[in-house]
Each structure stands twice: as C-alpha cells, then as structure tokens.
Amino acid sequence: MNPYLEALQQKLSPADFKKLSAIDNPVVHEFIAKESDLCHPEKIFICSDSTEDIAHVRKMAVTSGEELATLSMDGHTVHFDGEQDQGRDRVNTKYLIPKGVTFSKALNQIDRQEGLAEVRGLMREIMNGKTMIVRFIALGPTNSAFTLLGIQCTDSWYVAHTEDLLYRPGYEQFVKAGPKSDFLRVIHSAGKLNSDMVSVDYKNKRIYIDHMDNTIYSVNTQYAGNSVGFKKLAFRLAIRKASSEGWLAEHMLLMGIFGPDGKRKSYFAGAFPSACGKTSTAMLPGETILGDDIAYIRDVNSTARAVNVESGIFGIIQDVKAKDDALIWKVITSPGEIIFSNVLIKDGRPYWLGMGEELPKDGQNYTGIWYEGKKDEAGNEIPAANKNARYAVSLKVLENVDPELNNPAGVELAGIMYGGRDAKAYVPVQQSFSWEHGIIAYGASLETETTFATIGKEGMPEINMMSIQDFISIPMGKNVKNNLQFGRKLKKQPTIFGVNYFLREVGNGKYLNTPQDKHVWVKWMELRVHNEAGAIKTPTGYIPIYEDLKKLFKRVLKRDYSKEDYIKQFTIRVPENLAKIERVSRFYQENVTDTPLEMFGMLYMQRQRLIDAQAKYGDYISPECFEKEVNS
Ligand code: SPV
Ligand code: MN
C-alpha cells in the first residue's frame, strides 16, 4: 500500500477504502491525501459510478440542507447561493503565474507562490467536522480520443450532485486507466455556511488556477460556475492542454440542423458569451441538441470533429416561457431530477423572472424570506428571483437530444458560428470569406456587453475573444494562431458565420429582431454549407438575399418578412463598423503582445473595403447596393 492510501485509510469507511484502492494510481491517492491534509475533513466519501453512491449524494444534498426538497414536483429540488455569489466572479478568479512567465495583460493573474500561499491558507482546516466528497468525472464521451478525466474534492453535496447531472461518470475510467497522471484536479470548499447552508465568507472567495499542477482551487463560493470544477474551471486547464496538443477546447454549443427535406442533418458549433443566446440556439425546436456550453474539437482525418464535454445543462431560467421555449418548459414543469437555483419558491412551486405569468408577492428566494419591495443593503429593490437563476438537468431528458451525444468519434462540423451582443455594427447573420476571415473578423473580434452571468456592472461593452475571454489560459495571440492553424490543416473546413441577435435600430435603440428569428438564421447557414442559398458580398461578409429569407421566414416561423425589415437589419453601417475595427485593433495592440500580424492585416483589409464602399454609397449602405452571388 502506498503511504497516501495508508494515510487516508483512517478517514475512509471500509467500503470507501476498497473503492479508492481499486484505482491503482498513487498520483490520485497523493492528490486526495494532500487535499485532505490541507482541508482536514472528518470523513472522506469516495463516490463511484454506482447507483447507490449517486443516490447517496442526491440524498445528502437534501439532508445537509444545501438543497431543499420543498418543491411539490417529484425529483425537483432548489439550492440558494449567497447574495454576493450569484454569478461567476471575475475579480476573484486568477491565474497563478510562475516568476518569469508573462501572460496577456487582459487576463487576471497573481504570482504563483503568493496565490498558492493565500488560497491554501484560506483552505487550511476549512473542512473541519465535514465530509470531503471525491467525485471522478469523464469529460467528453468515454473510450474516445476526446476523453479527459477529472477529480474533484469538495465539501458541498450540492456541487457533487450537480456534477452528477452535468457530467459523465468517471470512476470506472480511473480504475481502467491505472497509473496515469494526466487528469484535471479540483479542490473546492463552500467554506463557512450560515444556517441556510449558504456560503457566507464572500470576502474571501477565491478561484485560482494553477496550470503548473493541473489544479484548480475554489473556496468560499457555491455558485456552480465557480464551484463545479468541471464546468468553467477544468475548461481553463483544457484550453491549455488543447493548445499544446493541437486541438481546440471551446465555449460552444453543438447542434444538428435539418435541411429542407427534414432528413439531411448538419452539425454546427456556436460560440456565444454567457447569456447571449447560446442555450436557446442549441434548443431550437425541431433541431437536435448535443450540447449548450463546452465543446472539444479535434482534427480527425483532416475533418473537424466535436464532442460535448458535458452531458447536462446548467441553464439560465429567466424569460423561459411555455410558448417560446417549449422543449425546456416541458422538462422543468414535469417530474424528474432537476436542481433549480436562485428562483423564487412559493407553495411548492418555483417561479422565475419573465416566465409569462404573474409572480407571487412573497416567498423564499436567495435573500431568504422575500416580499415585494424588499431592499438590499445598498437600498436597491431585490427582484423575486435572480436574473441568473438556473436549472441543472441531464441532457437525456430532452426530447430532441441528438443520438450522437455519446459517440466516441464525435460529430463532423459543417459550420461554426460566433455571436456576441453587438447593438450597433454587425448584421444578424453573415458568412466569412474564408476560414481566416471568420476566425479573425468574427471570432477574435467578438464584442459583447457584460451580462448578469458575471458579477459586476451589466451592459459594459468589451472584447470577448471567441467567447472565451473569461476562460482563456494561454496568451491571447496564441489562441488566435491556434485557431488559424487548426483550420488550415483541414481538408474540409467548417464554414464560419458571424451572428448577432442583439442589433438595435439606429436612432430609437429598438431590437431589430425577435428571439425567434435566430431559427431562420440557422436554417440559412445550413443551406449555405450545402450551396443551396445565394448571398450578397458586402465588406464584412456574405449576407443573405432577401428572397431566401422571405421563404425561410414563411417556412420556419410562418411569418411574413418585409423588405423594409430586411433592409434595416442588413444595412451595412460603415461608421459603426469602422469604429469596431478601431476598438478591436486597439485592444489587441494594447493588451496582447503576441497577436499574429495576419490579424491586423485582415482587419486592415476589412477597413479598406468599408472605406471604398463608403466612398461609393455613403455611411449606411442598403444590401441591395452590393453584388449578388447566386449559387447553383
Ligand atoms: C456561463 O456563464 O457561461 C455558463 C454558466 O455557462 S457558468 O459558467 O457555469 O457560470
Ligand atoms: Mn457558458
């Protein structure tokens, strides 16, 4: 027996000791022993993939009080996060950077030694009297070139339960893998809890990423984006690993889009910052969903193939209505295993903002007993439910889950979309001129506004490169280069599209599209990858022809689409586009030392095309001024 296993034995029941011993990997034992030494739990529970172990976690999440079973629907529970713990915490999420290593200035960082001392200091004996739960997870389908393995030690039964809904079990994979040190490690503690079992020490909340050791530290938080290690935390480590091995780890949805015959299906990936329409795109009715958050993409025989890293959804539950979101509505209003978080509870029912019915005037929410007019410490009115309220469910409960979800070979990507929250510049949908143009002008230039999914002020414009600005763990220019190179090696490149669901009218600021319109855009993209729709070449990309959209609006949404709307939506706004190029170029010049020159060249050419068009047609150019290219 190795010394780590020996040291752990006293904290393990005989059954748990047996489970841990079956993993013939001293590196696993060492990690658990070291974290146990640091955090000092009273007991350690080893969660295998067995139904008994999973059921135990589910039961303990309620017994401990971290989840409440007060909802009347079978299988539904609710968890509350603290008032200061309602989203990902950017300020307190930092990379541990060893001396002598430089990182893009835009990335939040701290000296490794200093950071380790701080976070390990905060974690010392933090689990006194508690149980440390050890979960083993497989990221991506198992038995596949895509699979990555991960371990999380946590003292939160809620976190361990959520992981069960969102990820594929990995204990058996660890048993099979034997002595392999290549796995992601997460150590998490919810820290001090109040009588409602909510983390209270938010001032000492820290999420530190140590890529030297493939380890993430997360402390004094429960919000899943900060605590469920395999979500955005392991993602940061995966981005690094992907970069060194020549594949891509992306913040992307994966979906199947059907062709006009209802049979042809093409797979698309889509990168969108948080709360910018990623999940609702992935869940479009009549199409299929493979994933809504994180994808790994590999070059397999010169084609791009992708898998969903996860197997569940941690979705936003705001503006989810019976009419607009039929698929998920049915799931969250039917019996089945669901964890709601930060909704309002009243008489055994969950309520959320924008659900299409009147909300109760009182109930229980993330601030405890809630009543209309209740104010926070700063005097601001507390909403009935948090804007970033969430539900966690397994994908398998969705009617339209794609049959390839667990295919070890993944699915071949026909297209990739990049979409931000851009009120002013980009048209609702456009196709890039080339792989390089798509990566640079849509992906690397992705701009958005901050949303409620992260703590801080909302509505602030910012660059969110490929929607991974919050997660990028390699120099930013390197990420652009990796993407450029990845596509260049492919024989069959996915077609790249830029989408923008948030364009507003010049002058009055009204949104120019309804949330349903995105269904037309995805159908148009599907036609484009099969050369079944024409396009108009504009300075920023190929845009749809009015007649094609008119037909699609009728077919997909049973709606008329006026020429006037088309012109408003697809007018090329030269001043706004020039300003965008200026902002993007400046951001990279000021914050990124390794931007590939090609990026500036590509943006310069886009600028030139805009200036030439401006000289001919003026500042706001109707799509009809440009040349049509009708495909065969
Ligand atoms: C996101 O904010 O991008 C999410 C939720 O998908 S989480 O990252 O878990 O906060
Ligand atoms: Mn996300």
Side-chain angles (χ1 to χ4, degrees), residues 4 10 50 54 59 63 99 123 414 513 526 541 551 568:
Y4 303 112
Q10 42 159 334
S50 74
I54 307 289
K59 191 179 101 216
T63 312
K99 291 217 164 30
M123 292 189 118
N513 293 101
E526 196 276 343
K551 272 188 243 155
K568 268 192 203 159

Side-chain angles (χ1 to χ4, degrees), residues 511-524:
Y511 283 119
L512 281 172
N513 293 101
T514 72
Q516 287 76 32
D517 297 3
K518 61 169 85 73
H519 208 160
V520 170
W521 315 146
V522 305
K523 290 296 206 192
W524 181 76

Side-chain angles (χ1 to χ4, degrees), residues 124-143:
R124 189 151 299 126
E125 306 212 355
I126 202 164
M127 295 186 191
N128 269 341
K130 291 189 180 176
T131 298
M132 182 164 98
I133 307 136
V134 183
R135 285 225 64 156
F136 303 88
I137 292 296
L139 299 173
T142 51
N143 303 316

Side-chain angles (χ1 to χ4, degrees), residues 88 223 225 231-232 251 274 293 314 390 453:
R88 274 188 287 104
Y223 173 70
K231 207 161 187 48
K232 294 306 180 346
H251 190 208
S274 309
D293 204 30
F314 178 58
R390 301 257 172 176

